[in-house]
Amino acid sequence: MKFCLIDAGIFIDKPELLDPLRAIGEVEVFNGIPAGTEEVIDRAGDADVIAFGLMQFTEEMLDALPKLKVLQFIGTGMWNFVNVDYAESKGIRVLNIDGYGSNAVAEFATAMALSLAKNIPPADRVLKEDRWTIDGLMGKEIKGSTVGVVGTGSIGRLSAEKFAALGAEVIACDIYESEYLKENYNIQYKSMKEVFMEADIVTLHMKVTEENERIIDHKLLSLMKKDALLINVARAELVNTEDLYKALISGNLAGAAIDVYDSEPPTARDYQLAQLKNVIATPHIGYYTQEANDNSIKMAVSSILASL
């Protein structure tokens, strides 16, 4: 049996994590995204199992891999990278992993909120530009503020805990309410509209569905306080990018922190948003910690073995 990590070399800094696969077959590891179908065939044309973390699989690529039995995404949200229905129609099992980086992303959301609230990026730029001034750099404290957590799955729950530990009043929105959060942190669940109206900071932790795609639009953004902050380390598709851009340049929203984009690498429109002075923009690194990285490989290997 042959296993191919077609683009995941960047994740493999501990080769021993792949030993369970080596025990039952041949393992090949490649760096970088294949340039097209021909390179996909060169790397993995004879593979029974392909693991991937970065690339988009087209239907043409799937057609060119007749031996393929399992396609393992080293992450969450495989539907954004491959047409799962088409793959399964060809007898290819498409697998996902969940929870490997929940704490990493929750910590990142908290760090983003703190950085925005304390004006850390612009303060850093002041000194890098050989200037000494505190003009425009007055920050806000998380303690005593209201933080709205939209989506309280594993990442949202951990985010709520961290903001509560900082002394914030946490409110939440989710169709499935967490009894744990209500009982242990006195968190109140409210409507989406109420969360956007009341929160000083809104942090997004929803999965994208047909019902909530682009749900964060002009109507919701216009409800926010003018000094409020929006954090999106979930999925870009939750937010109407044009409406967010307009809210930020008009002064109707004080700032935003963004780690996810409609297209990755971003389009010119996303770069335009990222370059605003009241925006912190990062290249989708919320999950990217040593601990989460190791967890992702361990979980992907276990998922592959279980599928076989």
Side-chain angles (χ1 to χ4, degrees):
M1 179 166 287
K2 183 171 181 179
F3 304 94
C4 177
L5 280 74
I6 196 167
D7 65 354
I10 188 175
F11 303 116
I12 311 298
D13 58 356
K14 295 182 180 177
E16 65 272 17
L17 295 178
L18 301 178
D19 285 349
L21 299 182
R22 293 192 182 93
I24 60 172
E26 178 188 356
V27 177
E28 282 195 314
V29 179
F30 295 91
N31 282 307
I33 298 174
T37 301
E38 187 174 333
E39 191 169 357
V40 168
I41 295 169
D42 288 341
R43 294 185 184 188
D46 58 348
D48 301 284
V49 177
I50 295 176
F52 70 104
L54 300 170
M55 65 176 288
Q56 299 275 342
F57 269 90
T58 65
E59 294 178 4
E60 179 186 12
M61 291 173 183
L62 296 175
D63 290 340
L65 299 166
K67 286 193 64 180
L68 185 62
K69 301 180 182 68
V70 176
L71 192 57
Q72 173 72 58
F73 179 46
I74 308 174
T76 303
M78 60 190 180
W79 303 273
N80 296 319
F81 294 86
V82 60
N83 184 330
V84 175
D85 290 337
Y86 185 79
E88 292 183 345
S89 75
K90 297 182 67 63
I92 302 168
R93 292 191 65 188
V94 186
L95 307 174
N96 211 37
I97 56 173
D98 284 314
Y100 70 96
S102 295
N103 185 67
V105 178
E107 284 190 1
F108 196 75
T110 311
M112 286 285 226
L114 285 165
S115 294
L116 272 177
K118 308 299 183 186
N119 279 316
I120 293 173
D124 175 67
R125 287 195 294 270
V126 163
L127 286 184
K128 284 183 167 56
E129 294 167 359
D130 297 326
R131 295 187 293 125
W132 182 268
T133 179
I134 61 172
D135 290 347
L137 297 179
M138 180 177 286
K140 297 186 293 184
E141 296 185 16
I142 301 296
K143 183 178 181 180
S145 68
T146 300
V147 176
V149 178
V150 181
T152 53
S154 60
I155 297 173
R157 177 180 60 78
L158 288 166
S159 296
E161 291 178 352
K162 295 179 194 309
F163 283 111
L166 289 170
E169 177 189 354
V170 180
I171 57 178
C173 176
D174 200 316
I175 56 174
Y176 303 107
E177 297 186 3
S178 168
E179 295 302 320
Y180 171 82
L181 289 178
K182 291 194 290 186
E183 292 173 8
N184 290 278
Y185 294 93
N186 197 33
I187 289 174
Q188 295 184 48
Y189 277 82
K190 303 195 174 193
S191 69
M192 183 86 80
K193 181 178 178 180
E194 289 172 321
V195 167
F196 273 75
M197 288 178 63
E198 297 176 20
D200 300 295
I201 300 170
V202 174
T203 180
L204 306 180
H205 300 289
M206 295 184 292
K207 293 182 178 179
V208 177
T209 66
E210 290 183 3
E211 290 74 25
N212 67 23
E213 188 170 355
R214 310 298 175 192
I215 194 171
I216 314 303
D217 59 6
H218 169 72
K219 291 180 181 178
L220 277 177
L221 293 170
S222 66
L223 298 175
M224 298 182 76
K225 303 173 184 178
K226 289 188 182 297
D227 62 348
L229 308 171
L230 180 70
I231 315 295
N232 188 10
V233 297
R235 293 294 178 198
E237 293 83 0
L238 294 170
V239 180
N240 183 307
T241 305
E242 294 292 343
D243 288 353
L244 176 59
Y245 181 82
K246 290 175 182 177
L248 288 163
I249 63 172
S250 68
N252 288 331
L253 183 63
I258 304 163
D259 189 47
V260 288
Y261 307 90
D262 290 325
S263 175
E264 296 184 2
T267 61
R269 181 186 64 176
D270 286 322
Y271 274 119
Q272 185 181 32
L273 176 64
Q275 288 164 3
L276 294 178
K277 291 183 178 180
N278 54 346
V279 169
I280 298 176
T282 49
H284 204 155
I285 58 168
Y287 69 97
Y288 196 44
T289 65
Q290 185 66 60
E291 295 83 358
N293 192 67
D294 292 349
N295 286 341
S296 71
I297 299 302
K298 291 175 185 176
M299 293 175 70
V301 168
S302 294
S303 174
I304 290 168
L305 294 175
S307 76
L308 300 178

